[in-house]
Amino acid sequence: MTRHETNLVSVGNIAIGGGSPVSLQSMTNTDTRNVSETVKQIVQLVDAGCDLVRVSVPNLESVEAFAQIVKRAPCPLIADVHFDYRLAIGALQAGASKVRINPGNIGSWDRVKAIIRTAKEFGAAIRIGVNSGSLPKHILAKHGKPTAAALVEAGLEYLEGFLEEDFDQMVFSFKSSNVLTTIQAYRMAAR
């Protein structure tokens, strides 16, 4: 298999990209507010071979629980956040090694920049989710529908914005409801 040269991104003590070994990641399916059950599942995932675990942070109570979970987790944690930039900031302050956001559903670019500033402050990475359901309107209008090219164009636009903020600790995720579009987007992005 040919691997493309990528930037090294640190997620806690795990290196992603830059020629590092492939790391395994999974996600809990517990209610994050249930600290003991979430930690139990994280331990099970690590015992099964996971290097990283993603945990949903859908509300303020989950941010508070996430802070407790981080202290007990045997691996770096990724906070999975949708819509509310304050949850991403709170999760980073609580010890997330990486936060997963979708700039297309966070709101204004100022809110995304606030997340970037916080990630820089705490030495965390950001996973940028580019999804066909939340493409910027100007890109969707240009392509007519959520094509692979539209996903990659949005990703490149986000990349430029993050680099303007002097932030390079990011990884990208492209997703479409059409599997072939997703595969094509990854191939295009790799080129």
Side-chain angles (χ1 to χ4, degrees), residues 138-150:
H138 68 281
I139 292 175
L140 194 55
K142 175 182 173 183
H143 292 272
K145 63 182 182 177
T147 63

Side-chain angles (χ1 to χ4, degrees), residues 57-58 60 81-89 105-106 111 115:
V57 181
L60 289 174
V81 176
H82 295 270
F83 305 110
D84 192 338
Y85 78 108
R86 296 169 298 184
L87 300 176
I89 289 170
N105 70 27
I106 287 293
R111 291 177 176 181
I115 296 169

Side-chain angles (χ1 to χ4, degrees), residues 130 135-136 138-140 142-143 147-160 172 174 185 188-189:
V130 183
L135 288 170
H138 68 281
I139 292 175
L140 194 55
K142 175 182 173 183
H143 292 272
T147 63
L151 289 167
V152 173
E153 184 174 337
L156 290 172
E157 191 173 281
Y158 297 144
L159 173 65
E160 185 177 310
F172 283 84
F174 297 93
M188 289 175 74

